[in-house]
Amino acid sequence: MAESGTLPTGFGELEVLAVGTVLLVEALSGLSLNSLTILCFCKNPELRTPSHLLVLSLALSDSGISLNALMAATSSLLRRWPYGSEGCQVHGFQGFATVLASICSSAAIAWGRYHHYCTRSRLDWNTAVSLVFFVWLSSAFWATLPLLGWGHYDHEPLGTCCTLDYSRRDRNFTSFLFTMAFFNFLLPLFITVISYRLMEQKLGKTGRPPVPALIAKAVPTVNAINYALGSEMVHRGIWQCLSPQKRERDREQ
C-alpha cells in the first residue's frame, strides 16, 4: 500500500488523478439525482405506491454505490487507502451489497412493470414490500460470505478502494464467484430480459409505446434518470418538492 503523498506502484500521477476525478464526478452526480428521488418519495404522497417502492429501493442502493465511489475517490486523490484493513473489509462489503441490491432491484422493477402491463392488475403493498425485503436480505447475505471465508475482499490494483479479490484463482474463490454470478447476475438478467420481452410483445399488439431500453442500468446516475426522473409522476413530485409556492397552493386546495 502506498504511503501518503506517494503514488501506487505501476501508476502515474495523471492516472491516479484521472481515476479520482472520474469517481468523484460519478459519486456526486449519483448521490444528487438519487437523493432527489428519495426526497420526492418521502415528501410526495402521490409517489408512495408499491411500484415506486421498488424504484425507491433502487435509488437507495445506487446512493450506496455512490457513497462507496466517494470513498474511493477520496482515497485516490489522497493516493493511499487511509481506512486500514478493517475499513477495507467494510468498504468491500458495503459496495458489493449495494451493487447486488441495485441489480436485483432493477430486476424487481422489470417484473413489476410486467405484472402491471401484462396482467392488468396493480402491484399490491405486500408483494412490493416482500420483494424489497428479499432483495436487501439476499444482497446482504451474499456480501457477508466473503467476510466468513467464502470469497475475499481486498484492495484493487490502484490500492485506493476495496472489492472482491478477482486475482485469486483457488477453488474457494472460483466456487464462490460462479455460484454468486448465477444467482445475482444471470438470474436477475434472465428475469429482466424475459419481463421486458413479454411486455414488448404485449404492448406491441396493443399499439402502446415501447418500454425503456435495457442498456446501462448498473450506473447510479443512469438508473436515476431512467427509472425515477424519467417518470412523469416523479417529475410532478420533484416540482412540488422544489417549489414551496406549489406546495402551498396544493394544501389550500
Side-chain angles (χ1 to χ4, degrees), residues 33 41 91 136 173 177 200 207-208 213 244:
L33 293 176
F41 182 89
H91 186 253
W136 285 95
F173 185 78
L177 185 63
E200 182 181 3
R208 291 178 178 268

Side-chain angles (χ1 to χ4, degrees), residues 7 21 42-43 51 60 68 80 83 99 124 172 202 231:
L7 295 174
T21 302
C42 295
K43 286 195 169 185
S51 295
L60 288 171
N68 192 271
R80 68 185 181 94
Y83 307 109
V99 165
D124 61 80
N172 175 285
K202 179 72 173 181
S231 167

Side-chain angles (χ1 to χ4, degrees), residues 56-126:
L56 176 65
S57 175
L58 181 64
L60 288 171
S61 61
D62 285 345
S63 295
I65 296 174
S66 297
L67 285 173
N68 192 271
L70 186 61
M71 290 184 64
T74 302
S75 300
S76 296
L77 296 176
L78 289 174
R79 305 173 184 172
R80 68 185 181 94
W81 177 257
Y83 307 109
S85 58
E86 292 185 358
C88 179
Q89 298 302 304
V90 172
H91 186 253
F93 168 83
Q94 188 269 344
F96 192 43
T98 51
V99 165
L100 295 181
S102 177
I103 294 172
C104 293
S105 293
S106 297
I109 290 173
W111 180 86
R113 289 179 172 178
Y114 158 78
H115 182 272
H116 175 75
Y117 288 109
C118 295
T119 67
R120 299 300 181 186
S121 59
R122 291 185 177 275
L123 189 68
D124 61 80
W125 277 106
N126 287 336

